[in-house]
Amino acid sequence: MKQSTLFPKTRKEAPKDAESINHKLLVRAGFIDQLMAGSWTLLPLGWRVVTKINQIIREEMNAIGGQEMLMPLLHPKEIWKETGRWDKAEEILYKLKDTRDKEYALSFTHEEIVMDLLRKNITSYQDLPVYVYHFSTKFRNEPRARSGILRGREFMMKDLYSAHTSEEDLMKYYEIVMGAYSKVFNRLGFNFRITEAAGGVFTDKYTHEFQVLSDTGEDEILYCDSCDWSQNKEIFSGDRGNPCQKCGKGKIIQAKSIEVGNIFPLGKWYAEKMGVNFTGEDGSKKPVWFGSYGIGPTRVLGTLVEVNHDDKGIIWKKEVAPFDVHLLDIRTRDKAQSAKKIDDSLQNEGIEVLWDDRDVSAGEKFAEADLIGIPVRLVISEKTGDKIEWKERISDKAELLTLDEIISKLHNGD
Ligand code: ATP
Ligand code: MG
C-alpha cells in the first residue's frame, strides 16, 4: 500500500488528555481514534493488527473444536431477568427503552443468550458437548475509562462458551481451553501468568485470568518465581514473606499486570436459573454444565504497545504487524520506477508492504517508520545502488541485501 494514500496521517503530538502509552502512541501513529471516553475507532492500521490478533485466536479456538458464529448485541430485558443479572450487573449494564417503552440491554457478555440457544436446541446427552464462540462488541459502563484502548466502554471480545453433561467433562475442557489460551498468548509474545481470581458478576467460584506482566497495568498479582502459582491480589490472603504455598521453595513476587483473558468454570447455576436441561443416559432430566472463556482483542492491541515500544514509537512483532515491511524510497532523483518494482515483487511473494512514496524528507520518513513500528524497514537511497538496506525495528544494525536475499529472509523468518 502506498503511504501517500493511507488514512489518516501520523501526528507529531499526542492528544492532550492522553495518559497511557498505548493511547499516545496508537493515536499518534494513526491506529485508533477516540470518539469519546471509552469509545474508539479502529483506523485502517489498527484494524489490520486486530484482524491478525483475531486470526491467531480463531485458529486456536478452531483447534479445540470451537465453532464460530455471531450473536446479537441488543437483548430483551426478560432474558437478563431470568438470571437476575438485569439488577446484579446494574453498574456496568447499559439499559435502554424504545418509544413503546420496551426495555433492552446492550450486551456486556453473552451467557444468557447462549443458554437460550441451548434451551431451544438441546434435548439429550447426545447433543452435548457444545463449543461455540464469536467475536463481537461488548458494552460496559466502565467507571474509569482512562487507560486508552485497554478499557473501553465499547470494546471487542472473543467469547467462547461450552456446555457439558457433567462437571468432569466441563473441567476437562476447561483445562483444554487453558492450554489453547496459553498458545494464543505465547504466539503474541506475552510474558504472562495464569492467575487465580474471583468471578465478579459471573460466578461465586474461582476463575483464571491471563495476566501480562506490565508496570503500567491496573491489576496486581502475586506469583511464584519458581513454579506456576499465581493469584490476583484481590483474593490473596497469605503472607507475602513466606515461601510459595504450592512448591514450598519459590519467592512470592508482587507485580502490576494487564488482564487479557479470563476463563470461568460456571457450573450448573445458569442452566438451573434458565431451565436448560438434557435427558441423560439413565433417562433423567439434568441441567447442563457450562463454562465461558473471554479474550479482549482490542485490549490485546493496547497491551502489545504497552510492553513493546521505545521512545521513538511502537515495535510490532511480525505475527501481528500491520505490514511485513516498510519500504522507504529516500532518493531525490530517479524516483518511483525501481521502488514500484520492489513493491510489486514483494507483493507477488505474499509479503505485505507499506511503501512510503511521499515527497517528504528522509528524516521525517525515518521518524514515522519508527513511530508506526513495522518490524522490517527497507531503504532505497542514492547510496544503496542495486541493493536495498535492511534494518529491523528492534535493532540499530543495517545491512545491504539483494531483493532475492530479502525475500528469502522474510520467508524464512530469521
Ligand atoms: P477488568 O477487570 O479489567 O474490568 P473484567 O474482568 O471485567 O475486566 P471479563 O469479563 O473477564 O473482564 O472480560 C474478558 C476479557 O475481555 C478481559 O480479560 C479483557 O481482555 C477484555 N475486557 C474486559 N473489559 C474490557 C474493557 N472495558 N475494555 C477492553 N477490553 C475489556
Ligand atoms: Mg475478568
Side-chain angles (χ1 to χ4, degrees), residues 106-133:
L106 284 180
S107 174
F108 81 97
T109 182
H110 280 83
E111 280 82 10
E112 280 77 351
I113 312 310
V114 176
M115 277 291 143
D116 183 61
L117 286 169
L118 292 170
R119 179 164 64 186
K120 290 187 286 207
N121 293 288
I122 294 293
T123 48
S124 108
Y125 69 95
Q126 286 163 318
D127 301 326
L128 294 165
V130 170
Y131 314 127
V132 286
Y133 72 97

Side-chain angles (χ1 to χ4, degrees), residues 140 142 150-152 155 157 202 259-262 264 296 299:
R140 294 183 186 181
E142 298 277 2
L150 295 182
R151 186 171 296 284
F155 59 95
M157 199 194 286
F202 291 86
E259 181 200 317
V260 288
N262 203 173
F264 303 80
R299 182 176 288 181

Side-chain angles (χ1 to χ4, degrees), residues 127-182:
D127 301 326
L128 294 165
V130 170
Y131 314 127
V132 286
Y133 72 97
H134 73 167
F135 290 87
S136 86
T137 301
K138 298 282 181 278
F139 297 90
R140 294 183 186 181
N141 193 358
E142 298 277 2
R144 43 196 171 115
R146 262 185 271 112
S147 336
I149 197 144
L150 295 182
R151 186 171 296 284
R153 295 204 166 104
E154 177 181 341
F155 59 95
M156 193 181 287
M157 199 194 286
K158 183 289 304 169
D159 30 335
L160 167 72
Y161 300 85
S162 73
H164 307 262
T165 53
S166 67
E167 179 168 30
E168 191 195 353
D169 198 54
L170 165 63
M171 293 318 292
K172 212 163 75 194
Y173 192 68
Y174 187 79
E175 292 292 327
I176 290 172
V177 178
M178 198 181 277
Y181 270 39
S182 298

Side-chain angles (χ1 to χ4, degrees), residues 80-241:
W80 288 95
K81 276 284 188 189
E82 286 190 57
T83 56
R85 293 210 290 178
W86 177 263
D87 301 306
K88 197 174 169 197
E90 190 155 61
E91 268 178 34
I92 54 164
L93 189 60
Y94 283 109
K95 300 176 177 178
L96 51 125
K97 228 182 229 176
D98 70 11
T99 50
R100 291 178 294 275
D101 274 352
K102 186 168 163 49
E103 289 184 281
Y104 304 88
L106 284 180
S107 174
F108 81 97
T109 182
H110 280 83
E111 280 82 10
E112 280 77 351
I113 312 310
V114 176
M115 277 291 143
D116 183 61
L117 286 169
L118 292 170
R119 179 164 64 186
K120 290 187 286 207
N121 293 288
I122 294 293
T123 48
S124 108
Y125 69 95
Q126 286 163 318
D127 301 326
L128 294 165
V130 170
Y131 314 127
V132 286
Y133 72 97
H134 73 167
F135 290 87
S136 86
T137 301
K138 298 282 181 278
F139 297 90
R140 294 183 186 181
N141 193 358
E142 298 277 2
R144 43 196 171 115
R146 262 185 271 112
S147 336
I149 197 144
L150 295 182
R151 186 171 296 284
R153 295 204 166 104
E154 177 181 341
F155 59 95
M156 193 181 287
M157 199 194 286
K158 183 289 304 169
D159 30 335
L160 167 72
Y161 300 85
S162 73
H164 307 262
T165 53
S166 67
E167 179 168 30
E168 191 195 353
D169 198 54
L170 165 63
M171 293 318 292
K172 212 163 75 194
Y173 192 68
Y174 187 79
E175 292 292 327
I176 290 172
V177 178
M178 198 181 277
Y181 270 39
S182 298
K183 280 191 191 156
V184 168
F185 296 125
N186 280 324
R187 286 176 69 178
L188 293 168
F190 283 147
N191 178 13
F192 66 97
R193 293 288 181 282
I194 303 177
T195 303
E196 261 181 13
V201 292
F202 291 86
T203 177
D204 295 334
K205 294 202 242 171
Y206 69 90
T207 74
H208 287 96
E209 294 172 342
F210 290 74
Q211 295 277 2
V212 174
L213 297 178
S214 165
D215 291 337
T216 59
E218 283 183 1
D219 281 26
E220 273 189 89
I221 61 167
L222 294 115
Y223 67 93
C224 173
D225 67 355
S226 126
C227 75
D228 63 0
W229 180 89
S230 179
Q231 271 187 353
N232 194 303
K233 192 177 159 212
E234 286 170 0
I235 65 161
F236 179 71
S237 62
D239 184 347
R240 258 150 255 223

